[in-house]
Amino acid sequence: MTATPVTAPTAIASQGWRRGAGPAAVESAWRRALRNPRVSISAFILLLIAAVSFGAPVLAPYSPTTLTDMPLLPPSSQYLLGTDDFGRDALSRLLYAGQISLGVSIASVLIATVIGVWLGLLAGYYRGWGETIIMRAMDLLLSFPTIVLAIAIVSALGISLQNVIIVIAIVYIPRFVRVVFGATLAVRQSEYVQSARVIGAGDGRILRTAILPNVAAPILVQTSLSLGFAILVETGLSFLGLGAQPPTPSWGNMVSAARNVMELNPWLLIAPSAAIGITILALNTLGDGLRDALDPRLRS
Amino acid sequence: MGRYVSRRLLLLVVQVILVATVVFLLIRLVPGDPARAILGETASEEQVARVRTLLGIDRPIHEQYVSWIGRVARGDFGTSVISGRPVMLDIQQRIGNTVELIALSTIVSLLIGIPLGIVAALRANRATDYALSSFAMLGLSLPSFVVGTIMLLVFGLMLRWLPPAQFVPWYVDPGQHLRVIILPVIALSLSSVAVVLRMTRSSMLEVIRQDYIRTARAKGLSGRLVILRHALRNSLNPVVSIVGLELAALLGGTVIVESIFNWPGLSSLLIAGVRSRDYPVVQGVVLLIAVLTVLINLLVDLVYGWLDPRISYA
């Protein structure tokens, strides 16, 4: 007999993710969420921003770091956003900066998701002293304001892009642990987990096949919202000079660099500001839409 | 409630010790020798040895830990490696400026967020509500450094309505002080206004659907009275808990806002400390901010319980 009974939580899924929502529920929720025009537009905008950022090597008209012309030229057909105070093409820098800002945020949220999900699963499934240690450690991390904790760790590890990724991951692990811990507690006594145990599935198998798919929905929502926050932290650190180091462009250090010359070419400030605002707005709208679609109690 | 408070206070001591432990371990994260990291490759061995003594890292780790906790308990945060001044002295000179920003921003976010949230709830799913909700979403999505920098460009440089970022102490020129604090407060409070607005709206929507509100209306009370006397009081509890979280967020937000507007608060101290690898300064400021956050959370829990008698202290 194969383990098919273990992956049959769809009946429970329709009751919403607090009680456990399986992959099928996540899929139908995606479809439900995408029917909401605000969500589909946000998803489209995000794909577009990701495409132009990661396509920068092909799309950018100039190199982001070489001095191509006179400094502070106004926008023209040759330089759509003008040139910055070093005479570099602002549009090319904006595209490459997106690669850094999005790349750092995606990498750090991925790390936070993987570590946070497993810690949350272990704490919620095994309970006991493991739960106490993990959850109290997370409370401790949460007692520091996000950006202050990030700055503190950067100051110790040293300023580099790799360290920024590590820092943002550490800062966001507790959020994933909490979400997954709560969801795991809710499903660990459910009938399908019990029946999986009865047919002899080991703990690892139960965690992977019975519990993880059923806590997938809140993880998805948390990932979408965390990406927005991660961009906030990454751009904030770069703005303060603690993230991507010049000449490497990042949306945050572009805003910071524009401060001294913004009267001469306001686009140097407006373009990266808009990129940051639109990306976070789209991620927040997407996260809100997914949450509404996945949590039936909030659906109107 | 007395027993609950004393238990929470005991817990507070444990929390503060744990937070101090994390901050202590921070300097251990530094790859290699922290003293060498501060001074750079060119420094002589004697200089490095002197800084190691100053940081206390020449002693065994358990000794360092006991002495760190002991000093922190007495309010001694050590001496800056760069300026040689006690860290506590620098903190005392600057903390007032940071607290002023946070206090004003909290007041602004409540005074604007709560009324707008009520209006959004009363006009739910109509144009006003959509406009306010979009504003809130925008407020949550625009980082303070973006809002602050754009305001500096528009109001400071282009329109010249407000002075550009130049701090003036209140005792030198109170009027000018008020003028320079406007932009930082707006930049800092925008996201809190958004959070308070959203929370008030959803909590108000939940309350006005309750039976007792219908009863109050049925017995002929005017709409405004029902909202102000019956609905508002009960819908504010979740807002109080969110204000606590927001205070902690504002504390973090000042780090960025202060650096945009050259505001001489704790943040400029922290950022300068990070740049020059002045670990005692970084540790002192981070510890202080974390302890304040823990205190704020305790205070909010107590106020929350006092406002809502249904919350048990068991």
Tab-separated table of all heavy atoms in Angstrom, chain A residues 24-44:
chain	number	residue	atom	x	y	z
A	24	ALA	N	-3.940	21.665	-2.751
A	24	ALA	CA	-5.061	21.948	-3.644
A	24	ALA	C	-5.725	23.256	-3.234
A	24	ALA	O	-6.113	24.068	-4.078
A	24	ALA	CB	-6.071	20.813	-3.601
A	25	ALA	N	-5.814	23.477	-1.923
A	25	ALA	CA	-6.430	24.716	-1.435
A	25	ALA	C	-5.564	25.909	-1.804
A	25	ALA	O	-6.072	26.955	-2.199
A	25	ALA	CB	-6.610	24.651	0.075
A	26	VAL	N	-4.232	25.714	-1.699
A	26	VAL	CA	-3.334	26.806	-2.064
A	26	VAL	C	-3.517	27.146	-3.529
A	26	VAL	O	-3.593	28.302	-3.929
A	26	VAL	CB	-1.870	26.409	-1.779
A	26	VAL	CG1	-0.919	27.427	-2.378
A	26	VAL	CG2	-1.654	26.258	-0.295
A	27	GLU	N	-3.629	26.080	-4.361
A	27	GLU	CA	-3.792	26.291	-5.791
A	27	GLU	C	-5.084	27.030	-6.097
A	27	GLU	O	-5.112	28.001	-6.863
A	27	GLU	CB	-3.774	24.928	-6.484
A	27	GLU	CG	-3.257	24.977	-7.897
A	27	GLU	CD	-3.362	23.608	-8.525
A	27	GLU	OE1	-2.692	22.686	-8.026
A	27	GLU	OE2	-4.126	23.467	-9.487
A	28	SER	N	-6.181	26.591	-5.468
A	28	SER	CA	-7.458	27.247	-5.767
A	28	SER	C	-7.472	28.657	-5.188
A	28	SER	O	-8.083	29.568	-5.746
A	28	SER	CB	-8.623	26.426	-5.226
A	28	SER	OG	-8.729	26.590	-3.835
A	29	ALA	N	-6.747	28.830	-4.073
A	29	ALA	CA	-6.673	30.176	-3.493
A	29	ALA	C	-5.922	31.110	-4.418
A	29	ALA	O	-6.274	32.275	-4.575
A	29	ALA	CB	-5.991	30.119	-2.134
A	30	TRP	N	-4.844	30.596	-5.048
A	30	TRP	CA	-4.097	31.374	-6.029
A	30	TRP	C	-5.040	31.877	-7.105
A	30	TRP	O	-5.058	33.043	-7.449
A	30	TRP	CB	-3.037	30.498	-6.720
A	30	TRP	CG	-1.648	30.724	-6.244
A	30	TRP	CD1	-0.865	29.817	-5.621
A	30	TRP	CD2	-0.871	31.918	-6.354
A	30	TRP	NE1	0.342	30.373	-5.326
A	30	TRP	CE2	0.372	31.661	-5.764
A	30	TRP	CE3	-1.113	33.183	-6.886
A	30	TRP	CZ2	1.378	32.605	-5.690
A	30	TRP	CZ3	-0.115	34.136	-6.818
A	30	TRP	CH2	1.113	33.835	-6.222
A	31	ARG	N	-5.848	30.920	-7.612
A	31	ARG	CA	-6.762	31.285	-8.693
A	31	ARG	C	-7.772	32.314	-8.195
A	31	ARG	O	-8.085	33.279	-8.868
A	31	ARG	CB	-7.469	30.037	-9.228
A	31	ARG	CG	-6.992	29.706	-10.637
A	31	ARG	CD	-7.657	28.464	-11.170
A	31	ARG	NE	-6.832	27.301	-10.955
A	31	ARG	CZ	-7.288	26.134	-10.483
A	31	ARG	NH1	-8.545	25.995	-10.134
A	31	ARG	NH2	-6.468	25.125	-10.347
A	32	ARG	N	-8.266	32.087	-6.965
A	32	ARG	CA	-9.247	33.015	-6.393
A	32	ARG	C	-8.610	34.392	-6.210
A	32	ARG	O	-9.196	35.417	-6.527
A	32	ARG	CB	-9.715	32.471	-5.040
A	32	ARG	CG	-11.094	32.911	-4.662
A	32	ARG	CD	-11.711	31.989	-3.621
A	32	ARG	NE	-10.829	31.753	-2.494
A	32	ARG	CZ	-10.617	30.547	-1.965
A	32	ARG	NH1	-11.219	29.491	-2.443
A	32	ARG	NH2	-9.818	30.396	-0.932
A	33	ALA	N	-7.358	34.378	-5.717
A	33	ALA	CA	-6.671	35.652	-5.465
A	33	ALA	C	-6.421	36.387	-6.776
A	33	ALA	O	-6.613	37.593	-6.875
A	33	ALA	CB	-5.362	35.404	-4.732
A	34	LEU	N	-6.022	35.625	-7.809
A	34	LEU	CA	-5.684	36.272	-9.078
A	34	LEU	C	-6.921	36.833	-9.781
A	34	LEU	O	-6.824	37.686	-10.647
A	34	LEU	CB	-4.961	35.286	-10.002
A	34	LEU	CG	-3.493	35.046	-9.632
A	34	LEU	CD1	-2.861	33.997	-10.528
A	34	LEU	CD2	-2.692	36.350	-9.718
A	35	ARG	N	-8.111	36.347	-9.399
A	35	ARG	CA	-9.331	36.895	-9.991
A	35	ARG	C	-9.575	38.312	-9.467
A	35	ARG	O	-10.275	39.101	-10.089
A	35	ARG	CB	-10.525	35.986	-9.673
A	35	ARG	CG	-11.234	35.556	-10.954
A	35	ARG	CD	-12.387	34.624	-10.630
A	35	ARG	NE	-11.943	33.285	-10.325
A	35	ARG	CZ	-12.449	32.530	-9.348
A	35	ARG	NH1	-13.401	32.992	-8.569
A	35	ARG	NH2	-12.005	31.313	-9.146
A	36	ASN	N	-8.989	38.616	-8.289
A	36	ASN	CA	-9.061	39.971	-7.757
A	36	ASN	C	-8.131	40.851	-8.602
A	36	ASN	O	-6.937	40.591	-8.668
A	36	ASN	CB	-8.615	39.931	-6.286
A	36	ASN	CG	-8.569	41.297	-5.657
A	36	ASN	OD1	-8.612	42.311	-6.335
A	36	ASN	ND2	-8.491	41.317	-4.346
A	37	PRO	N	-8.696	41.871	-9.280
A	37	PRO	CA	-7.851	42.659	-10.205
A	37	PRO	C	-6.636	43.283	-9.519
A	37	PRO	O	-5.559	43.360	-10.108
A	37	PRO	CB	-8.806	43.738	-10.730
A	37	PRO	CG	-9.992	43.718	-9.840
A	37	PRO	CD	-10.078	42.348	-9.252
A	38	ARG	N	-6.787	43.717	-8.247
A	38	ARG	CA	-5.641	44.338	-7.575
A	38	ARG	C	-4.493	43.344	-7.458
A	38	ARG	O	-3.325	43.691	-7.598
A	38	ARG	CB	-6.049	44.823	-6.180
A	38	ARG	CG	-6.803	46.140	-6.213
A	38	ARG	CD	-6.904	46.706	-4.840
A	38	ARG	NE	-7.455	45.703	-3.920
A	38	ARG	CZ	-7.433	45.820	-2.603
A	38	ARG	NH1	-6.868	46.854	-2.046
A	38	ARG	NH2	-7.972	44.892	-1.837
A	39	VAL	N	-4.835	42.082	-7.160
A	39	VAL	CA	-3.799	41.055	-7.008
A	39	VAL	C	-3.165	40.719	-8.342
A	39	VAL	O	-1.936	40.636	-8.456
A	39	VAL	CB	-4.403	39.790	-6.361
A	39	VAL	CG1	-3.377	38.666	-6.342
A	39	VAL	CG2	-4.894	40.101	-4.963
A	40	SER	N	-3.985	40.553	-9.387
A	40	SER	CA	-3.403	40.169	-10.671
A	40	SER	C	-2.540	41.307	-11.222
A	40	SER	O	-1.473	41.057	-11.786
A	40	SER	CB	-4.491	39.762	-11.673
A	40	SER	OG	-5.496	40.731	-11.728
A	41	ILE	N	-2.983	42.552	-11.017
A	41	ILE	CA	-2.168	43.679	-11.485
A	41	ILE	C	-0.834	43.713	-10.719
A	41	ILE	O	0.233	43.875	-11.314
A	41	ILE	CB	-2.930	45.013	-11.328
A	41	ILE	CG1	-4.106	45.044	-12.310
A	41	ILE	CG2	-2.011	46.202	-11.592
A	41	ILE	CD1	-5.047	46.215	-12.117
A	42	SER	N	-0.897	43.517	-9.384
A	42	SER	CA	0.352	43.522	-8.601
A	42	SER	C	1.283	42.421	-9.066
A	42	SER	O	2.494	42.636	-9.203
A	42	SER	CB	0.086	43.302	-7.108
A	42	SER	OG	-1.017	43.994	-6.686
A	43	ALA	N	0.732	41.232	-9.289
A	43	ALA	CA	1.564	40.106	-9.718
A	43	ALA	C	2.218	40.432	-11.052
A	43	ALA	O	3.414	40.178	-11.254
A	43	ALA	CB	0.723	38.835	-9.830
A	44	PHE	N	1.437	41.046	-11.949
A	44	PHE	CA	1.971	41.414	-13.263
A	44	PHE	C	3.111	42.432	-13.116
A	44	PHE	O	4.179	42.290	-13.706
A	44	PHE	CB	0.845	41.973	-14.139
A	44	PHE	CG	1.315	42.492	-15.468
A	44	PHE	CD1	1.708	41.614	-16.479
A	44	PHE	CD2	1.391	43.862	-15.700
A	44	PHE	CE1	2.143	42.087	-17.694
A	44	PHE	CE2	1.841	44.344	-16.914
A	44	PHE	CZ	2.217	43.455	-17.923
